[in-house]
Amino acid sequence: MTKLWRRHRWWLTPTLLILPAAVLFSVVILASAVESLWISLHEWDGFSPMVWIGLGNYRELFADPQFYVSLKNNLIWLVMFMLAPPLGLAIALLVNQKIRGMRLLKSLFFIPLVLASVAVGVVFTWVYTPEFGLLALIFRTFGATAPAVLSDENFVTFAVVIAALWPQIAFCMVLYLAGLNNLSEDLIGAGRVDGARGWNMLRHIVLPQLTQVTFIAIAVTVVGALRSFDMVSVMTSGGPFGSSEVLAYQMFEQSIFSYRFGYGAAIASVLFVIMAVFIAWYLTRMIRADERGG
Amino acid sequence: MTFKWIEKPSTRRNFLKGAGGISAGALAGFPMPALSQSSEVTIISDENNADALRILRRIAADFEKQSGTKVVINNMDHEAHKTAIRNYLVAGAPDVCFWFSGNRMRAFVTRGLFDDISDLFEKEKYKDVLGATTGAVTVDGKQYGLPTGGTMWGMFYRKDVFAEHGLTVPATWDEFLAYGQKSKAAGLIPVSMGTKELWPAAGWFDQMNLRINGLDKHFALMNGKMAYTDPVLKPVFDHWEELIKQGFFTPDQTSFGWQEAGAFLAQKKAGMMNLGAFVKATFPEQDLEQLTFAPFPKIDGALDRYEEFSVNSVHIPANAKNKAGAREFLAFFYQPENFGPYLEPGGNVPPRNDLPASKDPLVNAAVESLKTVAGTSQYYDRDTDPDMAQAGLVGFQEFMAKPERRDAILQRLEGTRRRIFKI
């Protein structure tokens, strides 16, 4: 037995180690993704027999004005979420200095990451509440009336994204803080000898060493923006009248409230394609950039 | 080399065998607890009221003592239960579950997921004590559940606020408009409304439609037999728009949930609110005696009085394992001395007519009020198809915020109706 093991462990060990993850991934992610695609070609309410309708759900989806509202909101999420990496970097640079009290400041910036995102959503809902919310009180001290941001179809998505940005910025800050700790002292010293300081130091010495971190930060932020769901659910339930819905929320609403699992699956598939295309494009770009300059 | 290639697959097979053996052993190694299914009744409840849940558990304990049958109660969050039930009725049904009567029950009955309990009705002679409420749990002449608490909808208000500002309860449309002017002059919001959770706007639509078009036309719409663009609905939206334009409702109402809207009423910032007796949850204990209600004002004086009366219910899933035990438990649970105390904390209207008068004056008022009602609907999202309901709720919320979009909204709802009811 030991002989057999010794002869075969070159492939047995990695196989055994990868197996649990591979099985889990294929059952939980791959199989359900494929099944979801399959369901999207049917009309199904969750427990009756599925009825094949081919691309019917997709045809309806592309004619559904709500789909375009959700898509537009996803775009707003994506664009605004892109603020998270630079802001996270800025805060990371700020709190990374060796000044007394910085540790406290660091942990303060870290707090939103510890909070459950649902809690963040609830708190921001209170802040936005007309008449007695914090925002309303601030406006009142200046003698103005705060807009009811969560009731206004033009503001509502921005208001929700701002709430979601708070923990996202903290997350990027943590990523960058880790990156800043791994900077090569030699390079910085060399740069200093050559007279680099301030902006030049950041631009040409520090940032190039943070490329890997930036890559992760952007990828995670994009995925976070596209799958945004919890904040919308907690803060507005997609309202008022669907104007803050995003694709993930619309999928949930259609499947769970309207019992249209086929239609929900179709939305999920579209979302999947958008994410896959973006990630694929981003990955190839990164790899190419890596090959060029490394 | 050849020798090795022959051996490799064999070891791989051995490995697989071993792995298979281990997993089989793991499965066999944890024997299922040997429960004797016949002496246990499992219940899934969706009780949010802690007192009512406590009483339900006590009833279960009493039943255990009396019958020797073990009762297991799994209580779920009310909203989460609404989605979970679709899973568990198919995949792992309890012996007893709580749900809603009317169309929501029918959806499961037509799919064969609820057990026919006409025999229990026959044996316990429930029809004699339930009267017309039997209809709420009847499909094609068979009963599929027991009605539990009912919620009577109406216009709730504070007696002291009305007295303080010299307001009177509006009984007609003109009086309602006058009430609005007077309460606005007194610095009150005439009608507290929070549509964040969508449904309160739909309830308002129901009330107006019942007062303008009556029950039959309302149900034609609920059952998908009438178009949302039908001209008979025009006066409903005209009247509604009149109220919106006159500032009857809470501004920015989509930012508030029903509980916040209820708080406006409790804090004397609003005059009235259309809800069920559960609005009392937003009132402090000492203010409860001020809370009372009146029916929604008449609009078409020639119409009979129809009200919204939603009835919850309790059922035996068709896939239950211990249907006999479940029937025994339901019979025990439904005895007046058990059922009465269970209903008390929620302020629900008892469906049985042989229960002693409630300690809650609101309940007794609702019972009296119901006697003069010609017919009842349950609520928009209970009476129509759930898919239609979701679209309708959003549509009515939008109408209240943007009445000028009426035509677009109704066109959209009509499109949804045609898709759902396959017209």
Side-chain angles (χ1 to χ4, degrees):
Chain A
M1 198 66 193
T2 22
K3 221 174 175 184
L4 274 181
W5 171 249
R6 232 175 254 158
R7 194 178 304 150
H8 292 289
R9 68 177 164 196
W10 61 274
W11 66 271
L12 265 178
T13 316
T15 312
L16 280 175
L17 288 176
I18 291 172
L19 204 63
V23 167
L24 210 65
F25 185 78
S26 43
V27 171
V28 177
I29 311 279
L30 285 183
S32 23
V34 171
E35 199 189 348
S36 177
L37 266 173
W38 178 244
I39 292 173
S40 76
L41 302 172
H42 295 80
E43 188 178 310
W44 188 41
D45 65 1
F47 47 43
S48 301
M50 296 202 268
V51 182
W52 173 267
I53 53 165
L55 294 175
N57 281 325
Y58 292 94
R59 260 195 295 277
E60 191 192 334
L61 187 63
F62 291 123
D64 184 352
Q66 181 63 52
F67 171 67
Y68 295 100
V69 172
S70 306
L71 203 61
K72 185 196 83 189
N73 284 338
N74 263 126
L75 215 63
I76 296 177
W77 271 84
L78 202 57
V79 171
M80 281 187 72
F81 250 47
M82 279 305 132
L83 288 174
L87 285 175
L89 174 63
I91 297 174
L93 289 171
L94 180 76
V95 299
N96 197 40
Q97 296 163 49
K98 292 196 174 64
I99 302 174
R100 257 173 69 94
M102 262 312 165
R103 209 168 266 182
L104 176 74
L105 204 61
K106 220 185 273 188
S107 48
L108 283 181
F109 277 114
F110 188 69
I111 280 180
L113 205 56
V114 183
L115 294 176
S117 58
V118 171
V120 174
V122 171
V123 169
F124 267 83
T125 311
W126 289 336
V127 169
Y128 291 143
T129 304
E131 287 183 57
F132 37 81
L134 185 63
L135 192 70
L137 295 181
I138 293 172
F139 268 67
R140 199 171 302 155
T141 50
F142 294 106
T145 316
V149 282
L150 292 186
S151 288
D152 189 304
E153 51 187 335
N154 300 317
F155 290 148
V156 63
T157 298
F158 293 97
V160 176
V161 178
I162 287 171
L165 259 180
W166 187 39
Q168 189 67 29
I169 289 173
F171 184 65
C172 291
M173 178 200 80
V174 171
L175 287 179
Y176 279 116
L177 272 178
L180 288 174
N181 282 331
N182 285 329
L183 290 183
S184 149
E185 291 290 335
D186 295 350
L187 272 179
I188 292 176
R192 211 161 265 152
V193 169
D194 286 345
R197 40 205 342 259
W199 172 251
N200 276 333
M201 175 70 112
L202 180 69
R203 172 70 186 78
H204 297 289
I205 312 275
V206 175
L207 279 188
Q209 295 188 63
L210 291 174
T211 325
Q212 290 300 322
V213 180
T214 309
F215 166 66
I216 300 283
I218 291 183
V220 168
T221 304
V222 167
V223 175
L226 286 177
R227 58 155 205 196
S228 52
F229 163 82
D230 40 3
M231 287 287 180
V232 176
S233 171
V234 170
M235 295 182 68
T236 64
S237 318
F241 29 91
S243 56
S244 66
E245 275 188 20
V246 289
L247 288 176
Y249 188 82
Q250 196 188 354
M251 165 190 84
F252 165 79
E253 190 201 31
Q254 288 296 328
S255 315
I256 303 296
F257 293 140
S258 299
Y259 300 131
R260 301 184 69 199
F261 285 86
Y263 197 57
I267 300 172
S269 306
V270 170
L271 189 57
F272 174 76
V273 169
I274 295 175
M275 278 209 207
V277 166
F278 189 92
I279 297 292
W281 170 76
Y282 188 64
L283 273 178
T284 46
R285 235 189 54 143
M286 283 311 290
I287 291 168
R288 255 182 235 148
D290 246 21
E291 280 168 355
R292 265 205 312 271
Chain B
M1 268 323 262
T2 4
F3 161 70
K4 268 185 189 168
W5 277 112
I6 293 165
E7 223 179 54
K8 253 185 196 168
S10 92
T11 46
R12 200 179 285 142
R13 206 172 300 136
N14 277 344
F15 167 69
L16 285 175
K17 261 187 213 159
I22 289 165
S23 40
L27 282 178
F30 302 107
M32 294 297 287
L35 289 176
S36 78
Q37 298 287 5
S38 58
S39 68
E40 186 178 90
V41 171
T42 52
I43 299 171
I44 293 185
S45 61
D46 58 347
E47 194 55 73
N48 270 4
N49 186 311
D51 291 328
L53 179 62
R54 195 171 37 83
I55 293 166
L56 180 64
R57 289 194 194 282
R58 203 203 62 215
I59 295 172
D62 290 349
F63 178 71
E64 254 181 51
K65 252 180 264 157
Q66 202 189 61
S67 65
T69 304
K70 193 172 163 9
V71 182
V72 180
I73 297 179
N74 297 310
N75 194 59
M76 293 183 70
D77 171 69
H78 192 77
E79 296 299 322
H81 177 254
K82 286 181 188 170
T83 50
I85 189 169
R86 298 171 76 93
N87 255 326
Y88 73 62
L89 283 183
V90 178
D95 300 311
V96 172
C97 71
F98 286 77
W99 189 234
F100 311 101
S101 70
N103 230 349
R104 284 200 183 172
M105 177 194 84
R106 183 190 291 265
F108 292 136
V109 170
T110 51
R111 291 179 170 94
L113 292 171
F114 278 156
D115 203 29
D116 174 6
I117 58 164
S118 305
D119 54 317
L120 186 67
F121 264 73
E122 205 58 44
K123 190 170 141 236
E124 303 280 337
K125 300 197 170 37
Y126 285 143
K127 279 181 192 168
D128 300 343
V129 292
L130 286 174
T133 318
T134 309
V137 289
T138 303
V139 175
D140 296 333
K142 293 177 189 151
Q143 285 75 45
Y144 290 90
L146 285 174
T148 56
T151 302
M152 170 94 176
W153 299 76
M155 297 296 289
F156 284 79
Y157 62 95
R158 284 185 70 123
K159 285 181 249 178
D160 53 353
V161 168
F162 266 51
E164 186 186 330
H165 299 291
L167 296 167
T168 47
V169 174
T172 64
W173 185 251
D174 289 336
E175 283 175 28
F176 192 42
L177 293 181
Y179 153 81
Q181 295 310 324
K182 204 166 172 186
S183 54
K184 268 198 297 184
L188 296 171
I189 299 162
V191 175
S192 191
M193 175 68 77
T195 59
K196 188 174 178 188
E197 293 116 348
L198 302 174
W199 52 262
W204 193 269
F205 168 79
D206 286 349
Q207 296 274 18
M208 305 266 293
N209 201 27
L210 289 174
R211 289 289 182 271
I212 291 171
N213 288 317
L215 195 63
D216 292 343
K217 282 183 191 154
H218 183 64
F219 266 107
L221 184 72
M222 294 301 105
N223 294 328
K225 303 224 162 61
M226 184 200 277
Y228 276 82
T229 46
D230 197 293
V232 305
L233 290 178
K234 189 174 180 297
V236 176
F237 289 99
D238 284 344
H239 279 78
W240 198 354
E241 192 168 336
E242 193 179 355
L243 297 181
I244 297 167
K245 293 258 159 79
Q246 293 193 17
F248 260 64
F249 302 106
T250 317
D252 301 321
Q253 68 232 194
T254 56
S255 284
F256 302 109
W258 71 265
Q259 280 163 312
E260 287 150 321
F264 280 124
L265 189 69
Q267 293 162 5
K268 306 184 180 183
K269 287 178 184 161
M272 297 182 114
M273 181 169 178
N274 183 257
L275 213 72
F278 57 90
V279 68
K280 69 182 191 178
T282 61
F283 274 64
E285 193 76 37
Q286 69 273 16
D287 284 8
L288 271 181
E289 58 189 35
Q290 297 296 342
L291 181 66
T292 186
F293 78 101
F296 196 84
K298 267 189 177 174
I299 300 176
D300 179 346
L303 271 180
D304 280 333
R305 189 174 151 218
Y306 304 107
E307 292 294 353
E308 295 242 81
F309 182 60
S310 11
V311 183
N312 294 348
S313 49
V314 57
H315 306 269
I316 301 178
N319 295 334
K321 291 184 197 74
N322 184 5
K323 290 182 185 174
R327 280 173 169 71
E328 271 173 52
F329 174 78
L330 283 187
F332 182 80
F333 167 73
Y334 219 52
Q335 287 165 5
E337 64 271 25
N338 292 326
F339 189 49
Y342 166 74
L343 288 181
E344 197 74 33
N348 288 322
V349 177
R352 286 186 77 126
N353 57 23
D354 56 349
L355 293 184
S358 169
K359 286 191 255 351
D360 188 340
L362 284 175
V363 172
N364 295 328
V367 171
E368 282 311 306
S369 185
L370 265 178
K371 287 179 183 161
T372 62
V373 163
T376 60
S377 56
Q378 293 223 26
Y379 205 82
Y380 185 83
D381 60 356
R382 294 187 183 212
D383 289 328
T384 194
D385 176 273
D387 189 1
M388 185 70 236
Q390 185 62 25
L393 296 186
V394 173
F396 296 135
Q397 185 203 36
E398 182 168 1
F399 176 74
M400 288 202 74
K402 307 271 175 192
E404 67 276 9
R405 293 187 194 162
R406 184 205 293 194
D407 291 335
I409 295 167
L410 291 180
Q411 287 293 347
R412 197 175 72 213
L413 292 187
E414 176 56 15
T416 310
R417 180 187 78 99
R418 284 170 177 276
R419 171 173 62 71
I420 292 166
F421 296 100
K422 308 217 185 314
I423 295 158

